[in-house]
Amino acid sequence: MTDAGGHRNSGPRGVADRSTAARSTPVRSGGTRRRRPVRRWVLYAAVAAVIAAVVSFTRLGDPTQPREQYFFGTLQTSPRTARADETHGIRVAHLTVQWDRFEPAPGQVDQRYVAALRARVRLFRSAGLRVEAGLGLNNPPSWLLGKYPEDSFTDQRGARFTSSPNLVFSQEIRNEVAGYLRQLDSEIGLGSFWAIRVGVNDAGEFTYPPPARSTRGPMSYWAYDRHAQASGADPGRPPTVPPNPYPGWRPGQGTYNGAAFGTRQVSRWYDWYLGALADAVNWQTGQYEALGYRGLLLVLIPGAGFYPGDLSAAVDGHLRETAEGGLISRGAGFFRTIALIDHRPNVQLVSTALVDGSGTPRNNACQAADTSVTPDALDPAAQARVRAWSSVRWISRIAAQEGFPISGESAGPHVAAYYPGVMNQAGRQLKSCGLTGLMWAFDHNLYDGTPGSSLGDYASVITKLQRGDTP
């Protein structure tokens, strides 16, 4: 989907593809639901981790080379620097496919653009780099929303979000995306990509879009289009998304159809809202699997999101308007939503918030004692403890709880300015949190004099980590 996710302290960042824009901000939240039993998918996830490791660490095109412990890449990789990147230990290039250029009109493929994409892939591969792709689902062609204007994300006030397609509640939109993916597979071959990025919002990450640009409030619950509000069977809503349990109810209301609307009903509505978001991710990974794609599918997790106590308080308040409610309206309760992602052999998580400045102390690393924390615990002491963790530390704990492999990306200097030693800190987070690899934002920052982000700095960190040392 997107080439990169946006990050920032304590929340999901929504950002357009990292190849095209700076990232945005993540969310934090919590929940009231009891801890789920250990999932039967744990064994499946362990197998997935092994498969992912095999896919990840073998040097492309040279089976005689030893497997490397981690993978390292850059975002917005330049063809001009590909060979220099590879000689310094970088093994993954990032490529953005622009849907609007690939399919400028419905069913019409631009063959010149296809040729350019093929050439870019060949160049990266000839330089010894694997290709991680964002396929542009988060930045669709203008004709898509023009064709389905009533299917845009719509919030409780009627505001519409048209910067990304409504993959959550619109079956028509999903059908168009499925057609685009089939065409892309036919013209380029999805198998050309070592990994594909997966998300939902305008940054290609695993949250709903950000609140509408309006002075009317800080929260937008994107569940008020015609399909999201349908109470029963609706052919325009994906069949895997259940009908709205309380159509017409709006956050902040204490009554529904003339009767009291309690916290149990609020929780049920919000569970439905989160489940629909996760369904959009599961639908995408299912589409790639149906097309025979066996590379990595990377679900982008921006920031830390909100915590269990935040959600408990929000539900008690009927999800009313609060300054902090933006994260909750975006569905950034990763301690809840990650558990809803389907376990497939090639699905991994990506924390897009390494060295984002979060945590106390800043950018702190994971610790062995973190395993004693249950992510959805409402205990005040546990809540205070995890709120001091860095974003990647929190997401890594959730990933481990749910049995998902996880890699990381630096947040980018537009989120938290780089400084001498920043790559060492990222390396310590990677190693301590058990990440499988790192994508650095951005490739040009290795060459433009950005403090602490030179090609030499990256090569030094890569060498230390590959031989088992801590930077």
Side-chain angles (χ1 to χ4, degrees):
M1 289 265 323
T2 243
D3 294 50
H7 322 85
R8 169 192 118 165
N9 307 348
S10 103
R13 299 132 215 256
V15 174
D17 213 14
R18 273 193 172 178
S19 61
T20 57
R23 305 168 190 170
S24 73
T25 311
V27 218
R28 297 193 175 234
S29 127
T32 58
R33 193 171 59 181
R34 290 180 300 175
R35 181 174 174 233
R36 298 162 56 97
V38 176
R39 300 164 65 130
R40 61 183 176 181
W41 293 104
V42 170
L43 179 59
Y44 192 21
V47 174
V50 172
I51 293 172
V54 172
V55 172
S56 301
F57 307 144
T58 301
R59 290 281 301 273
L60 181 68
D62 191 352
T64 65
Q65 291 292 327
R67 288 177 187 161
E68 297 174 333
Q69 189 170 0
Y70 306 101
F71 71 82
F72 294 93
T74 62
L75 297 175
Q76 299 182 7
T77 309
S78 169
R80 294 188 299 274
T81 61
R83 292 194 181 277
D85 285 356
E86 198 278 338
T87 60
H88 286 79
I90 296 168
R91 302 288 181 251
V92 182
H94 166 256
L95 172 71
T96 299
V97 179
Q98 296 175 297
W99 183 4
D100 57 344
R101 294 188 61 189
F102 181 90
E103 190 180 9
Q108 177 183 318
V109 175
D110 185 334
Q111 291 300 327
R112 286 183 298 178
Y113 183 61
V114 168
L117 287 174
R118 289 173 179 159
R120 181 69 62 91
V121 170
R122 284 196 302 270
L123 187 152
F124 286 143
R125 290 170 67 94
S126 67
L129 303 176
R130 292 159 290 201
V131 180
E132 176 185 295
L135 301 187
L137 305 190
N138 56 308
N139 292 310
S142 59
W143 60 259
L144 180 70
L145 298 179
K147 187 175 180 180
Y148 304 104
E150 297 301 315
D151 286 23
S152 300
F153 279 117
T154 306
D155 75 1
Q156 68 271 27
R157 300 181 190 85
R160 292 188 175 178
F161 191 87
T162 58
S163 297
S164 60
N166 186 355
L167 285 171
V168 179
F169 296 113
S170 173
Q171 184 60 46
E172 291 94 337
I173 296 294
R174 289 190 182 186
N175 292 342
E176 295 286 357
V177 169
Y180 162 60
L181 294 179
R182 288 193 298 270
Q183 287 183 317
L184 188 61
D185 187 39
S186 176
E187 296 287 350
I188 304 295
L190 295 180
S192 301
F193 306 130
W194 169 73
I196 293 175
R197 303 167 78 86
V198 177
V200 177
N201 66 22
D202 55 319
E205 297 170 320
F206 186 28
T207 74
Y208 282 100
R213 294 180 178 178
S214 168
T215 58
R216 293 178 293 175
M219 306 187 318
S220 285
Y221 284 89
W222 299 108
Y224 291 88
D225 61 86
R226 56 177 179 164
H227 302 306
Q229 286 298 300
S231 58
D234 177 7
R237 185 181 62 241
T240 48
V241 176
N244 190 328
Y246 303 108
W249 180 78
R250 283 170 168 70
Q253 293 179 344
T255 60
Y256 180 70
N257 290 340
F261 194 76
T263 55
R264 182 171 298 182
Q265 288 94 336
V266 176
S267 290
R268 183 184 174 197
W269 184 91
Y270 193 71
D271 284 347
W272 166 80
Y273 185 67
L274 294 185
L277 174 66
D279 186 81
V281 162
N282 294 332
W283 175 81
Q284 289 174 65
T285 60
Q287 289 294 302
Y288 294 121
E289 184 176 81
L291 289 169
Y293 180 73
R294 297 297 179 261
L296 296 181
L297 295 170
L298 305 176
V299 182
L300 305 185
I301 311 296
F306 58 85
Y307 298 95
D310 301 326
L311 181 55
S312 179
V315 169
D316 287 345
H318 288 71
L319 306 181
R320 66 174 179 268
E321 295 279 356
T322 64
E324 303 80 19
L327 291 178
I328 295 174
S329 68
R330 297 190 66 184
F334 303 121
F335 65 95
R336 291 278 298 276
T337 57
I338 286 173
L340 302 176
I341 298 173
D342 287 345
H343 282 74
R344 301 179 190 274
N346 52 346
V347 170
Q348 285 196 15
L349 307 182
V350 180
S351 170
T352 64
L354 272 67
V355 291
D356 66 348
S358 60
T360 306
R362 192 170 183 253
N363 296 328
N364 54 65
C366 296
Q367 299 181 12
D370 294 352
T371 57
S372 66
V373 171
T374 301
D376 60 359
L378 280 169
D379 174 69
Q383 288 280 292
R385 180 179 174 185
V386 299
R387 288 176 188 274
W389 289 3
S390 63
S391 298
V392 66
R393 186 177 178 184
W394 172 237
I395 299 304
S396 296
R397 177 68 194 104
I398 299 169
Q401 175 82 12
E402 297 301 331
F404 282 104
I406 182 171
S407 62
E409 295 179 1
S410 63
H414 58 290
V415 172
Y418 288 158
Y419 48 88
V422 66
M423 283 186 169
N424 289 331
Q425 282 199 326
R428 289 193 287 272
Q429 289 184 323
L430 179 152
K431 185 175 181 180
S432 66
C433 295
L435 307 185
T436 61
L438 170 66
M439 297 292 285
W440 191 256
F442 298 91
D443 190 76
H444 65 84
N445 293 128
L446 302 181
Y447 298 91
D448 64 5
T450 299
S453 182
S454 71
L455 182 60
D457 291 329
Y458 202 15
S460 175
V461 169
I462 290 171
T463 298
K464 290 176 183 176
L465 287 168
Q466 295 294 26
R467 70 188 182 203
D469 295 339
T470 299

